[in-house]
Amino acid sequence: MDFDVFVNYYNQLPFLIKVVWIISVILFIIIIVSIFYLKIYRTRLRNSTAETQKLVTEYEIQLINYLYAEEGQEEQNSIIEKLTFCISSKSKRKIIKRVLLKLKKEISGEIAVAIQNLYRQIGLLNFALKKLDHQNWYVVAMGIRELKQFNIKDAHDAILHHVNHSSKEVRKEVQLYLVSLFHFKGLEFLTKIETDLSEWDQIQLLEVLQKNEDQQDVDITPWLNSNNDSVVMFSLKIAEIFNQYEVQNHIIELLHHKNNIIRTKAILVLGGMQNLDFKHEVMNNFEERTLEEQQALFKIFEPLVSNNDEWFLLKYSEHYNFEIRLEALRLIKNFSPDKFALFKETTNNGQFLEMLNFLTDN
Amino acid sequence: MESLTGQHIILIIHYFFFVYGFLAIGSYLFLTVVSAFETSEYVKKNKFVDYSEILASSISPSISIIAPAYNESLNIVENVRSLLSSHYVNYDVIIVNDGSKDDSLELLINAYDLVKVNYLVNKQIPTKPLRAGVFKSTNPAFEKLTVIDKENGGKADALNFGLNVSSNQYVACIDVDCLLLEDSLQKMIKPFLEATDHKVIATGGVIRIANSCTIKDGKLLDVNMPKKMIERAQILEYLRSFLLGRMAWSRLNGLLVISGAFGLFDKKIAIEVGGYDTKTVGEDMELIVRMRRVMEEQKVKYRVAYIPDPLCWTEAPDNYRIFISQRNRWTRGTIETLKMHKKIGFNPKYGALGLLSYPYWLIFERLAPIFEVVGIIYFTVLMMLNYVRWDFSLAFFSLAYLFTLLLSIAAIYSEELTYHQYKKKGTGFKLLLTAILEPIVLHPFVLYAAVRGNYDYYFNKKKKWGVMQRKGMGTTAT
């Protein structure tokens, strides 16, 4: 009876109000379900953290037993069997990999090699290799990352194949895999890459290269001539960090590159190498160069300055840019104290005098 | 005839409110869906990021943290210690003491062995002059620290001084009382370094509320849920704003505001556009809008990026008086910024900025409280005239309330599925309870503050910043 009253009331409502009530009821149901699910989710999250921790401890003990048992012993075989069985579960596979990686980081030498062998023996390698052909970028990137972490060099060709993958993350993992495992030889991807290397990628790769004790010789000339500006920039950074003096002439050519950032970096790199040949080239067409290039020259100028450059310093001691003006005056103070003193006596410009006074005191 | 005209007017008013409400709900739903996609993608991609490489690299770009301080003597020593404890290699800290009347400077001098140094400031942006001067530490452990003591000119002026002094490529402008996590800088710099086909002009970070959290020696040890409902409601409000709203606008490249409490900027661009505007109380929003405007006018491909990780923790007002004062200022800041840059609004020349971001802010942020108040007045008049159909009103109230609740639950889900900061048993329930009560315990005050902000903007021009009384995060809280 009551329900009929409610239905009759609802039926006589205008359309708009009916819609509002329907939406409200739907929202109410969604909210109730969401609240219950949130409760379940939070509880599950807490429980799974405890369960994961339990499994981590369990596998850690098994793996340590395996590593310190004598090779070929029954104990080792039984652990391999047990782990091989466990990896069929995705969550357990994840935990086993985590524990293996943790142990790999903590130990070195033969035992580290044993971990790598175990990784292959229990079948984890096959799972990782399968990921490389997956359609989802996330899975591919995960696979490459895992192969890098476990030092699997055999996957080189399959991974290099992804060097121009549509996903930035996959490309990044490919680059890190190659450089982490093959060091300077891994830089071969620079000739194949069709996309830009971001500054973030470059810093990461350079850090990996710097950590490598085996500083192999590498010819960066082809990359300095690359059509990909980011590859040229990266090569300039390699030249700078690894003191590639033999490519100085190629770098001088880059002073005429179409990209201002590359020209600026070339000035900084050549300055760091204390190359004198490029100095006059930049000084002679200083006015035509961009502000960034001009600032770069003054930044690295001090060790390159000779007495013959006094005209240049005097000319630009009144440059519109603060940093250039300050640096020019500082160099004048060091190389021509008399001229500097004369400036102080003759200037009426308050800001200029402030700069001169600052330099006198410092 | 007269009554027919009156009925038409009433009908128009009803439809206006209905359409406005429908559009508001639609836009919030749209932003929630977009933020879900963006958050999921961000979390996935972030799994492949190794911040330690950037952290240790000497070739990583240089960053200056600029923190203006005014009468912050209660916590300044601890706060500076926290800023100096970043794990990033290539950074320095510039504290700008903006004419404080307390003993902030003396405390800093004693705590960090500071001595006055000669310093030539490149006055690219005009500011108030130095007062006591520039100070550096004699202790090598604090070599990254520079303290500037200048005449009072307000927060924007102090930040501009910091911009003039910084010799680094990027500047992180923060509130000195904020707690930055140690890995904040490398996370915030990432979008700048990852961009290849566009320029990132600024990155905004999430602000989290530190009230009741356990903090020791400038480090966040434990995240707790505060006892007071006003604080809890703000936690929920921040989750909604930062994890849903801003995340979505970041995806749409339509962010108009980066919180003044923590943002990273390309210094060169910030200076080129003239730095912070000292005439507005919403200098953080105004700078972003101006930077975007200049980029659009120069036809540069650019982005304002956003990092949803909980990197910066701050103290939120714990009483309604300070809360209203803060929101009043935010309202005035929004009005001033939108008015200053009205040229952008609905102007196709400014692309998505002019046709999407600006109109959204104008209609759903700037005008929303006004429409709400007008609606309340109109409803009261109808009540007095006995024109209210209570059953219809109940339907609309239910819809509005349930939708607000759903949005809050979506924000809680976003937090739980990503950063899960409120781990303790029972906090989930507290958050839900807050979501249920927030429309009653916080929203009326938000509305009141917005109305006051409007009033003060038009009729009380002398009103400036207002005072934020701090209890301090330097000591262990419970």
Side-chain angles (χ1 to χ4, degrees):
Chain A
M1 182 64 187
D2 285 350
F3 188 70
D4 285 344
V5 172
F6 180 74
V7 170
N8 288 338
Y9 166 74
Y10 177 78
N11 285 336
Q12 54 84 38
L13 285 175
F15 173 72
L16 213 57
I17 305 297
K18 276 184 188 168
V19 172
V20 169
W21 273 122
I22 289 169
I23 297 174
S24 295
V25 170
I26 293 170
L27 289 183
F28 182 75
I29 294 167
I30 294 173
I31 287 167
I32 295 295
V33 173
S34 307
I35 289 174
F36 276 109
Y37 184 71
L38 190 67
K39 166 76 187 149
I40 295 166
Y41 177 77
R42 280 180 67 94
T43 312
R44 198 188 290 164
L45 203 64
R46 266 197 299 273
N47 294 344
S48 82
T49 311
E51 179 68 17
T52 305
Q53 196 46 52
K54 203 177 123 193
L55 283 173
V56 166
T57 317
E58 191 185 306
Y59 291 140
E60 219 170 81
I61 295 167
Q62 284 185 14
L63 287 169
I64 290 170
N65 286 342
Y66 167 87
L67 293 170
Y68 289 97
E70 268 186 45
E71 213 176 309
Q73 258 191 358
E74 202 176 314
E75 191 187 358
Q76 268 201 343
N77 293 336
S78 107
I79 293 170
I80 291 175
E81 227 169 82
K82 220 182 268 178
L83 292 175
T84 311
F85 176 73
C86 288
I87 63 160
S88 54
S89 150
K90 198 179 170 186
S91 59
K92 288 181 180 168
R93 191 161 67 231
K94 218 168 152 184
I95 298 169
I96 293 172
K97 275 189 289 190
R98 208 172 103 188
V99 177
L100 278 172
L101 270 178
K102 190 183 157 220
L103 291 173
K104 193 172 173 284
K105 273 182 194 163
E106 285 168 3
I107 48 186
S108 58
E110 279 182 20
I111 298 180
V113 177
I115 290 176
Q116 250 165 270
N117 292 337
L118 183 66
Y119 176 78
R120 286 171 189 267
Q121 273 177 305
I122 61 176
L124 284 172
L125 176 61
N126 293 335
F127 276 102
L129 289 173
K130 266 186 207 161
K131 286 181 182 174
L132 299 183
D133 299 323
H134 206 277
Q135 290 208 320
N136 186 337
W137 68 263
Y138 179 77
V139 181
V140 180
M142 277 292 188
I144 299 172
R145 191 182 180 191
E146 193 179 315
L147 292 165
K148 177 193 79 187
Q149 288 167 327
F150 285 100
N151 227 11
I152 308 295
K153 291 188 175 177
D154 332 354
H156 173 275
D157 293 348
I159 289 176
L160 189 61
H161 171 72
H162 290 295
V163 73
N164 289 312
H165 196 278
S166 56
S167 157
K168 197 166 68 180
E169 277 64 36
V170 173
R171 294 198 301 268
K172 204 182 290 181
E173 288 304 318
V174 171
Q175 293 154 16
L176 283 170
Y177 168 88
L178 292 168
V179 174
S180 302
L181 269 57
F182 302 94
H183 316 299
F184 281 96
K185 279 182 190 147
L187 289 173
E188 62 188 317
F189 78 85
L190 290 174
T191 46
K192 295 185 170 65
I193 193 168
E194 288 163 10
T195 50
D196 285 339
L197 270 177
S198 72
E199 212 180 325
W200 181 272
D201 300 336
Q202 294 178 30
I203 292 173
Q204 284 201 311
L205 294 172
L206 288 168
E207 280 302 311
V208 176
L209 286 172
Q210 277 179 289
K211 277 180 195 158
N212 176 31
E213 287 165 9
D214 175 23
Q215 306 280 338
Q216 305 141 324
D217 275 339
V218 60
D219 180 18
I220 64 166
T221 320
W223 308 325
L224 285 171
N225 298 325
S226 172
N227 290 327
N228 184 334
D229 285 1
S230 67
V231 170
V232 180
M233 269 305 280
F234 183 55
S235 314
L236 280 170
K237 287 175 191 168
I238 293 176
E240 184 181 34
I241 292 170
F242 298 100
N243 299 318
Q244 303 258 318
Y245 291 103
E246 58 279 13
V247 292
Q248 286 185 74
N249 289 337
H250 291 280
I251 299 177
I252 289 175
E253 284 170 27
L254 292 176
L255 295 173
H256 303 287
H257 198 278
K258 61 184 187 309
N259 186 332
N260 172 40
I261 301 170
I262 289 177
R263 293 196 304 270
T264 307
K265 185 69 187 173
I267 292 172
L268 291 171
V269 174
L270 289 166
M273 290 174 174
Q274 307 211 350
N275 180 304
L276 291 172
D277 298 338
F278 93 100
K279 184 182 86 174
H280 296 290
E281 188 168 343
V282 178
M283 281 166 66
N284 289 338
N285 55 16
F286 191 78
E287 305 265 319
E288 285 92 62
R289 294 201 173 261
T290 61
L291 179 63
E292 287 82 7
E293 290 172 81
Q294 294 178 351
Q295 283 175 321
L297 180 69
F298 272 93
K299 211 180 240 177
I300 47 89
F301 209 29
E302 189 167 6
L304 310 175
V305 171
S306 68
N307 289 336
N308 297 334
D309 299 328
E310 194 184 278
W311 67 271
F312 184 76
L313 297 175
L314 289 171
K315 187 174 177 188
Y316 293 106
S317 62
E318 288 181 38
H319 195 278
Y320 69 92
N321 179 266
F322 179 87
E323 279 92 13
I324 292 178
R325 206 162 60 233
L326 185 67
E327 189 56 22
L329 285 172
R330 199 177 65 78
L331 293 172
I332 291 169
K333 182 192 151 196
N334 292 347
F335 288 91
S336 313
D338 300 343
K339 288 270 165 44
F340 186 80
L342 198 66
F343 268 144
K344 277 190 82 172
E345 285 166 22
T346 53
T347 187
N348 296 322
N349 183 326
Q351 282 185 341
F352 196 58
L353 191 63
E354 192 185 355
M355 204 175 252
L356 293 171
N357 287 336
F358 170 77
L359 288 168
T360 308
D361 297 340
N362 288 278
Chain B
M1 185 67 188
E2 239 178 61
S3 75
L4 199 66
T5 313
Q7 277 177 11
H8 278 130
I9 291 170
I10 286 176
L11 203 64
I12 289 168
I13 294 172
H14 288 179
Y15 273 105
F16 169 78
F17 282 118
F18 180 78
V19 170
Y20 183 79
F22 179 79
L23 286 176
I25 287 179
S27 69
Y28 295 145
L29 267 181
F30 173 70
L31 290 175
T32 304
V33 173
V34 173
S35 84
F37 279 110
E38 180 67 359
T39 307
S40 145
E41 203 170 291
Y42 177 84
V43 171
K44 254 186 186 177
K45 286 182 176 174
N46 217 32
K47 282 188 181 158
F48 297 100
V49 182
D50 184 358
Y51 288 101
S52 62
E53 302 288 6
I54 298 295
L55 196 72
S57 176
S58 56
I59 54 166
S60 57
S62 53
I63 303 173
S64 287
I65 296 178
I66 304 175
Y70 179 71
N71 293 346
E72 298 275 358
S73 67
L74 183 65
N75 296 304
I76 194 148
V77 172
E78 278 305 308
N79 292 340
V80 170
R81 199 180 305 281
S82 156
L83 296 180
L84 288 169
S85 64
S86 172
H87 285 170
Y88 195 76
V89 173
N90 210 353
Y91 84 106
D92 61 18
V93 176
I94 301 167
I95 305 294
V96 188
N97 187 33
D98 188 36
S100 293
K101 291 170 187 157
D102 61 8
D103 58 348
S104 297
L105 183 64
E106 289 70 30
L107 288 171
L108 287 172
I109 288 172
N110 293 332
Y112 297 104
D113 309 323
L114 299 177
V115 288
K116 193 175 168 184
V117 292
N118 269 330
Y119 206 95
L120 188 66
V121 180
N122 184 6
K123 294 163 192 152
Q124 298 161 94
I125 308 168
T127 60
K128 295 273 180 188
L130 282 170
R131 191 172 62 171
V134 179
F135 296 81
K136 295 282 286 180
S137 180
T138 52
N139 184 343
F142 306 126
E143 65 174 358
K144 288 181 188 295
L145 178 65
T146 303
V147 174
I148 291 153
D149 187 71
K150 65 178 274 289
E151 285 180 14
N152 182 260
K155 186 181 172 187
D157 193 67
L159 286 166
N160 285 340
F161 208 108
L163 283 170
N164 283 342
V165 166
S166 167
S167 56
N168 291 337
Q169 207 180 337
Y170 298 97
V171 286
C173 296
I174 79 153
D175 285 350
V176 75
D177 57 299
C178 278
L179 176 81
L180 278 194
L181 298 195
E182 289 144 341
D183 55 353
S184 304
L185 292 181
Q186 56 266 34
K187 286 191 174 171
M188 292 285 279
I189 195 75
K190 185 169 163 269
F192 289 96
L193 304 182
E194 277 202 316
T196 51
D197 60 347
H198 62 273
K199 205 173 183 60
V200 171
I201 58 171
T203 306
V206 163
I207 310 299
R208 292 291 187 116
I209 292 178
N211 299 38
S212 292
C213 293
T214 313
I215 293 159
K216 203 174 177 191
D217 298 330
K219 287 191 173 67
L220 180 73
L221 300 180
D222 196 15
V223 178
N224 296 310
M225 185 61 68
K227 285 198 176 91
K228 283 188 181 177
M229 190 47 87
I230 183 178
E231 294 167 303
R232 282 191 200 170
Q234 285 176 88
I235 288 179
L236 191 67
E237 200 192 16
Y238 276 45
L239 287 181
R240 243 182 4 235
S241 165
F242 285 102
L243 294 183
L244 299 187
R246 292 199 191 179
M247 199 66 193
W249 281 113
S250 154
R251 172 81 179 208
L252 303 169
N253 193 18
L255 269 177
L256 277 198
V257 63
I258 278 181
S259 171
F262 186 35
L264 190 63
F265 299 84
D266 182 317
K267 190 186 80 179
K268 194 174 162 216
I269 299 173
I271 289 176
E272 270 171 10
V273 301
Y276 285 93
D277 189 327
T278 52
K279 291 184 192 79
T280 171
V281 288
E283 73 293 323
D284 44 2
M285 180 180 181
E286 199 282 328
L287 177 64
I288 291 296
V289 176
R290 188 150 32 92
M291 285 171 89
R292 295 192 70 132
R293 182 175 170 172
V294 170
M295 290 292 114
E296 293 283 350
E297 283 166 358
Q298 292 177 354
K299 302 206 182 312
V300 176
K301 212 174 162 192
Y302 73 99
R303 266 193 88 79
V304 175
Y306 177 71
I307 299 293
D309 303 51
L311 302 175
C312 176
W313 294 72
T314 192
E315 193 186 346
D318 65 350
N319 66 64
Y320 284 109
R321 191 178 56 80
I322 298 172
F323 175 79
I324 289 168
S325 161
Q326 182 198 51
R327 297 307 163 98
N328 176 328
R329 180 170 54 78
W330 289 6
T331 302
R332 282 180 287 133
T334 304
I335 301 173
E336 282 169 353
T337 304
L338 293 178
K339 202 171 167 189
M340 265 184 223
H341 298 283
K342 60 185 175 203
K343 188 185 169 191
I344 294 171
F346 306 96
N347 188 342
K349 193 183 143 194
Y350 292 94
L353 176 67
L355 298 176
L356 198 66
S357 305
Y358 188 99
Y360 178 87
W361 270 81
L362 179 69
I363 297 167
F364 297 115
E365 297 283 343
R366 161 78 186 92
L367 296 176
I370 293 172
F371 289 154
E372 197 173 340
V373 169
V374 171
I376 290 168
I377 295 168
Y378 177 67
F379 188 73
T380 313
V381 171
L382 290 185
M383 266 198 314
M384 280 156 48
L385 297 173
N386 211 15
Y387 281 170
V388 174
R389 274 286 303 260
W390 287 102
D391 53 342
F392 289 9
S393 305
L394 183 68
F396 283 108
F397 276 124
S398 305
L399 180 66
Y401 177 77
L402 289 171
F403 182 73
T404 310
L405 186 55
L406 187 69
L407 265 189
S408 296
I409 290 175
I412 297 172
Y413 263 92
S414 184
E415 158 67 10
E416 290 296 319
L417 295 170
T418 52
Y419 301 108
H420 191 50
Q421 294 290 300
Y422 300 95
K423 291 188 180 78
K424 287 183 184 163
K425 210 173 174 183
T427 47
F429 173 74
K430 283 177 187 168
L431 274 173
L432 282 173
L433 186 69
T434 310
I436 292 165
L437 295 177
E438 191 227 340
I440 306 153
V441 296
L442 195 75
H443 184 71
F445 295 94
V446 174
L447 186 62
Y448 173 69
V451 173
R452 278 297 300 266
N454 272 277
Y455 176 83
D456 287 337
Y457 176 75
Y458 291 107
F459 304 109
N460 188 10
K461 296 274 183 195
K462 282 181 191 163
K463 189 161 175 80
K464 283 291 171 190
W465 258 70
V467 181
M468 167 75 186
Q469 284 166 358
R470 309 236 175 243
K471 291 200 167 167
M473 304 190 297
T475 50
T476 305
T478 51

